[in-house]
Amino acid sequence: MKIDVLTIFPEFFREVFDFGIIRRARLAEIVEINIHDIREFTTDKHRMTDDRPFGGGDGMVFKAEPIFNAIENLMGTTEREKYPPRTRVVLLTPQGRVFKQAMAKEFADEVDNLILICGRYEGVDERVNEALVNEEISIGDYVLSGGEPAAVVMTDAIVRLLPNALGSETSAENDSFSDGLLDYPHYTRPADFRGMKVPEVLLNGNHAEIEKWRRQKALEKTQKFRQDLLNKENS
Ligand code: SAM
């Protein structure tokens, strides 16, 4: 998979994809991540990426032109229909569909070229949305100063689901949300840490019992914190 991130703050990403699973996936060429400075695609001498809103009001608006230029340069065409198959252009915005594990899986399975547009200011000129974007995505019901943290969140969640991204010692199968439940509690050595003991069932080697206990704990946690997940329609 190739992920292209469009931002006015490329420095933000300098090291963020250089750790753990994402780093390994990049080195193994499971994913290629490129960061593009939208400012490089401005055409005026001040390299402006924002301007005042039509109709008045507070703040500035991200101009359409540098984003169009950046994407057209990336795709090598001004015609949307000529983008390679399995390309998805995403605008990160608090107004979008809220990103969930099922969406991460869908992107990992169905997309080869992912373009993430990081907004700034009061938001992005709506014509970007109208002409270029397949989908508006939010990472949650709060307002960030820019789309960059959202791009990191989406990238991380998707890349770990790409085939072979997780080492054989890890699996996403039991992760929270994959079966509609939160993950069960984990323990490691020592079995007694400052008097706090690991549940006996995990020490007895009875795998059927361990599975039953884990399922029960996952259910209890989900019931306590995320009742909404127990209703399949919302998960
Ligand atoms: N005026 C906008 C609104 O109220 O919907 C908020 C703009 S926000 C200050 C600037 C940029 O941050 C947005 O264009 C978007 O790219 C990004 N952003 C903010 N919150 C986000 C979220 N929850 N998910 C994804 N991107 C977000």
Side-chain angles (χ1 to χ4, degrees):
M1 180 182 225
K2 184 155 92 73
I3 301 179
D4 290 286
V5 181
L6 309 189
T7 173
I8 56 165
F9 292 122
E11 313 82 3
F12 181 94
F13 297 92
R14 197 173 288 144
E15 292 187 354
V16 77
F17 296 129
D18 251 346
F19 302 94
I21 289 162
I22 308 296
R23 177 185 165 81
R24 279 214 311 267
R26 289 175 59 210
L27 292 176
E29 297 181 5
I30 291 167
V31 67
E32 176 186 323
I33 303 174
N34 304 307
I35 311 299
H36 306 273
D37 184 353
I38 298 175
R39 211 173 286 283
E40 299 289 323
F41 297 92
T42 52
T43 49
D44 62 307
K45 86 167 184 256
H46 298 294
R47 308 176 83 212
M48 298 298 288
T49 50
D50 61 330
D51 208 334
R52 283 168 300 161
F54 278 122
D58 289 338
M60 302 297 272
V61 177
F62 209 130
K63 285 159 70 79
E65 191 195 28
I67 298 178
F68 269 73
N69 289 346
I71 292 184
E72 287 166 2
N73 178 69
L74 203 54
M75 293 287 109
T77 174
T78 54
E79 291 169 64
R80 228 196 151 305
E81 315 73 56
K82 293 198 177 148
Y83 290 0
R86 293 170 58 95
T87 295
R88 210 75 82 82
V89 182
V90 168
L91 175 65
L92 296 154
T93 160
Q95 297 147 36
R97 191 154 71 104
V98 177
F99 190 59
K100 300 253 170 97
Q101 184 71 6
M103 287 162 72
K105 180 86 179 97
E106 181 193 312
F107 277 94
D109 289 347
E110 296 175 12
V111 177
D112 291 334
N113 293 295
L114 176 59
I115 300 175
L116 299 175
I117 305 170
C118 303
R120 280 272 156 182
Y121 319 114
E122 284 305 316
V124 173
D125 187 309
E126 191 63 19
R127 287 165 289 191
V128 168
N129 222 351
E130 290 163 4
L132 293 176
V133 165
N134 296 110
E135 188 160 14
E136 297 176 80
I137 293 184
S138 162
I139 60 160
D141 290 346
Y142 36 78
V143 176
L144 303 165
S145 312
E148 287 77 9
V152 173
V153 167
M154 269 193 75
T155 301
D156 192 313
I158 292 168
V159 170
R160 55 183 282 110
L161 296 179
L162 292 174
N164 304 320
L166 297 179
S168 54
E169 74 281 8
T170 336
S171 156
E173 261 170 50
N174 294 320
D175 277 346
S176 294
F177 313 112
S178 37
D179 61 355
L181 297 179
L182 299 179
D183 199 2
Y184 53 76
H186 301 270
Y187 297 87
T188 186
R189 281 176 289 191
D192 183 337
F193 175 65
R194 299 184 180 178
M196 292 178 280
K197 298 203 169 58
V198 170
E200 200 57 41
V201 62
L202 299 178
L203 306 174
N204 67 15
N206 182 333
H207 293 293
E209 284 292 305
I210 292 170
E211 274 317 300
K212 203 168 135 203
W213 180 89
R214 285 179 167 165
R215 172 94 192 149
Q216 181 55 32
K217 289 293 165 191
L219 258 170
E220 283 171 20
K221 251 196 164 168
T222 312
Q223 243 147 14
K224 186 166 175 196
F225 296 114
R226 294 294 304 272
Q227 268 288 345
D228 59 305
L229 295 177
L230 296 173
N231 172 0
K232 265 250 171 336
E233 275 164 23
N234 294 332
S235 65

